Amino acid sequence: MFLKLAVIATLCCTNALANFTSYEGYKVYEFTAENTTQQKTLENLAQNNAYDFFTLPRIFGLPIRVLVAPADQLQFQQTLETSQIAYTTVNENFGQSVEVERKLNSMYPKQRNSAPGSISFNVYQRYDAITAYLEELSKTYSSRVKVTSIGDSYEKRQLHAITITNGDGVANKNVILMDAGIHAREWIAPAAALYVIQQLVENYEQNSHLLANYDWIIVPLINPDGYEYSHTRDRLWRKTRKPVTIFCDGTDGNRNFDFHWGEIATSSHACASTFSGSSAFSEPETQALRDLMHSLSGRAKFYLSLHSFGNYLLYPWGYTSELPENWRDIDDIARAGATAIKTATGTDYTVGSTSNVLYPASGGSLDYALAKAKIPVPMVMELPSAGQQFDPPLSKIEELAFETWIGIKAIAEKIIEKYKLVDEEN
Ligand SMILES: *[C@@H]1O[C@H](CO)[C@@H](O)[C@H](O)[C@H]1NC(C)=O
Ligand SMILES: *[C@@H]1O[C@H](CO)[C@@H](O)[C@H](O)[C@H]1NC(C)=O
Ligand SMILES: [Zn+2]
């Protein structure tokens, strides 16, 4: 999610003896803003570091979720009541849910493979398992799959990109570029990226039309340090892991890109979860993604960054409420994805520009892709929460990943059709 201005819990609440940040007694509240007055009240509340707003959409009536520590709950509830904002408590003890999830997820430490060279979606896979899967694919399908490292994370994990082709050897085809996991805690995003990889590689026969004139380049885990940390130390960790000050680590990768960097809905405080970095592209992970984008200049037609949560298909701009010149094209393409999902599963996605439907935010990879890397159709997809914020139950992973794939496939088909027409006109 985009908006979390709260100071990271490591500062206030980590028990030095336990390795896991405890969210014991934290509650998750849900409510909606029904008019401008209420929206203003909530935007003001979001400035308070004590409240972790998981979502704060700009469209009235869409659900808003906030995590609040025990000591702040009374005052928070009173503020809502004063503003006549009706709320429900959707999680009475977030800490307990985190514990249950962690235990379940770790019950399958060795169950990555349903069969060698495949991957299962009954668990949130860790970095090592994801890496092993990619490497196995590159061996098993060596004519169609290549895995490269586009750089190292701060903690020296390789950042893997998988290039998927149809194996015909034609160079310089158009490219569909995807990444996931720039926000560490959004676990469903890398899972969905793996599902896309599986479909394009292992289920090639059914999807070969998507690879006829396009290569797909996918970075399923662009922030592995943060991702691992969210598994082992703090479930709500969002940023990278490079230290900033002696007290605070990490930069919000999706505020670290050099386009209107540091302007809006981003923080210059190292401890904040939306910290934009000590400078633009201060992080090795964002540098690697930047370089990948530029290396595909002219070839990449579509860039998709997977996030969660909230069922949004977003396009530029984040830094301003104005729209890019080609917004009608992007909107049309995004709606093809939303419609396909609606038809298949009934799930609703909201389509629009980041700043208009969600919240303004600058320094994101989405804006950078369009403005600087000149990728004509960039999008962010905020995947569903299954009612559980960043923690869709393990039993829902595959279902959500499949649904996401339906949307991505429809979008890709639309892109392919669109650029075929453009090429024929030229
Ligand atoms: C915390 O983690 C460290 C290193 O990862 C480990 O050595 C230590 O035993 C852990 N402590 C607890 C209480 O789990
Ligand atoms: C906004 O909605 C609340 C709750 O329904 C209501 O009490 C309040 O008067 C509304 N304010 C405006 C300006 O419409
Ligand atoms: Zn995100």
Side-chain angles (χ1 to χ4, degrees):
M1 246 308 143
F2 282 86
L3 189 88
K4 188 198 165 205
L5 298 170
V7 170
I8 292 303
T10 40
L11 244 197
C12 62
C13 327
T14 304
N15 176 349
L17 294 175
N19 278 338
F20 304 101
T21 302
S22 165
Y23 290 97
E24 184 59 31
Y26 280 58
K27 287 187 195 218
V28 180
Y29 297 91
E30 183 177 285
F31 41 83
T32 62
E34 300 299 342
N35 56 42
T36 314
T37 317
Q38 294 185 341
Q39 183 78 16
K40 263 264 151 306
T41 305
L42 294 171
E43 282 174 10
N44 288 337
L45 272 178
Q47 301 299 316
N48 185 333
N49 283 337
Y51 310 134
D52 185 349
F53 275 75
F54 290 156
T55 57
L56 187 44
R58 288 200 136 176
I59 297 175
F60 298 148
L62 288 180
I64 298 169
R65 286 198 173 189
V66 187
L67 180 75
V68 183
D72 303 313
Q73 286 162 6
L74 189 59
Q75 201 191 342
F76 184 76
Q77 290 174 200
Q78 281 168 352
T79 308
L80 292 186
E81 279 155 19
T82 307
S83 308
Q84 297 193 318
I85 298 172
Y87 62 88
T88 53
T89 310
V90 293
N91 191 325
E92 292 285 346
N93 186 353
F94 183 69
Q96 197 178 15
S97 306
V98 168
E99 276 307 293
V100 168
E101 178 191 53
R102 200 163 54 74
K103 291 209 176 86
L104 285 174
N105 205 51
S106 64
M107 272 167 61
Y108 301 94
K110 298 277 184 273
Q111 291 197 11
R112 172 180 72 80
N113 293 323
S114 17
S118 193
I119 196 154
S120 67
F121 294 91
N122 58 4
V123 63
Y124 289 105
Q125 302 287 356
R126 301 283 294 275
Y127 173 78
D128 285 345
I130 293 171
T131 299
Y133 175 58
L134 297 181
E135 278 165 4
E136 284 167 17
L137 287 181
S138 76
K139 290 199 185 90
T140 311
Y141 303 94
S142 59
S143 64
R144 293 193 271 114
V145 172
K146 198 175 72 184
V147 175
T148 54
S149 169
I150 59 166
D152 284 352
S153 70
Y154 171 73
E155 291 172 356
K156 297 287 174 240
R157 290 184 180 88
Q158 290 193 337
L159 306 170
H160 293 110
I162 182 170
T163 301
I164 306 168
T165 73
N166 68 353
D168 66 4
V170 176
N172 295 319
K173 285 185 181 174
N174 289 338
V175 165
I176 289 172
L177 173 64
M178 274 180 59
D179 67 52
I182 197 166
H183 288 150
R185 63 192 183 179
E186 300 167 4
W187 288 358
I188 192 68
L194 287 173
Y195 195 89
V196 171
I197 291 168
Q198 188 193 53
Q199 287 303 308
L200 293 171
V201 177
E202 297 187 55
N203 202 10
Y204 170 73
E205 305 305 328
Q206 275 183 36
N207 296 310
S208 59
H209 65 293
L210 300 172
L211 291 153
N213 297 309
Y214 280 75
D215 295 341
W216 290 58
I217 300 179
I218 301 174
V219 184
L221 196 54
I222 186 65
N223 175 17
D225 299 353
Y227 183 74
E228 285 295 301
Y229 193 82
S230 72
H231 276 270
T232 59
R233 302 297 292 271
D234 180 353
R235 179 63 192 90
L236 290 181
W237 190 259
R238 163 183 167 107
K239 301 191 285 181
T240 59
R241 288 295 308 153
K242 195 174 83 179
V244 185
T245 67
I246 52 167
F247 297 114
C248 291
D249 304 329
T251 289
D252 184 341
N254 208 34
R255 299 288 186 281
N256 192 234
F257 282 72
D258 194 7
F259 182 66
H260 293 271
W261 176 78
E263 279 179 15
I264 270 186
T266 176
S267 178
S268 53
H269 299 291
C271 304
S273 69
T274 54
F275 176 55
S276 55
S278 50
S279 61
F281 289 125
S282 56
E283 305 306 289
E285 297 84 2
T286 56
Q287 291 165 16
L289 185 52
R290 170 198 64 193
D291 295 347
L292 178 62
M293 282 183 186
H294 285 291
S295 76
L296 300 171
S297 168
R299 292 177 63 200
K301 301 299 178 215
F302 176 45
Y303 164 66
L304 177 64
S305 188
L306 296 178
H307 288 250
S308 78
F309 60 88
N311 308 17
Y312 297 96
L313 270 159
L314 305 170
Y315 49 82
W317 302 109
Y319 82 99
T320 171
S321 57
E322 281 166 32
L323 293 167
E325 218 169 273
N326 66 338
W327 76 270
R328 280 191 184 80
D329 287 344
I330 311 179
D331 188 83
D332 194 38
I333 294 163
R335 282 180 201 283
T339 304
I341 290 175
K342 178 77 182 170
T343 305
T345 64
T347 299
D348 283 309
Y349 266 76
T350 302
V351 177
S353 86
T354 304
S355 54
N356 289 316
V357 308
L358 203 55
Y359 202 79
S362 64
S365 67
L366 179 70
D367 283 6
Y368 189 88
L370 181 63
K372 298 292 185 123
K374 308 288 183 204
I375 303 176
V377 183
M379 269 175 226
V380 157
M381 198 165 175
E382 297 276 359
L383 306 188
S385 66
Q388 301 290 320
Q389 294 83 237
F390 305 109
D391 313 284
L394 304 187
S395 60
K396 290 276 184 193
I397 299 174
E398 183 151 15
E399 196 180 309
L400 292 177
F402 170 68
E403 178 186 274
T404 305
W405 164 243
I406 289 174
I408 293 174
K409 191 170 157 180
I411 288 171
E413 284 164 351
K414 192 89 181 169
I415 295 262
I416 291 167
E417 176 195 310
K418 180 175 167 52
Y419 283 94
K420 206 167 129 198
L421 295 176
V422 171
D423 289 345
E424 279 164 8
E425 280 164 19
N426 291 342

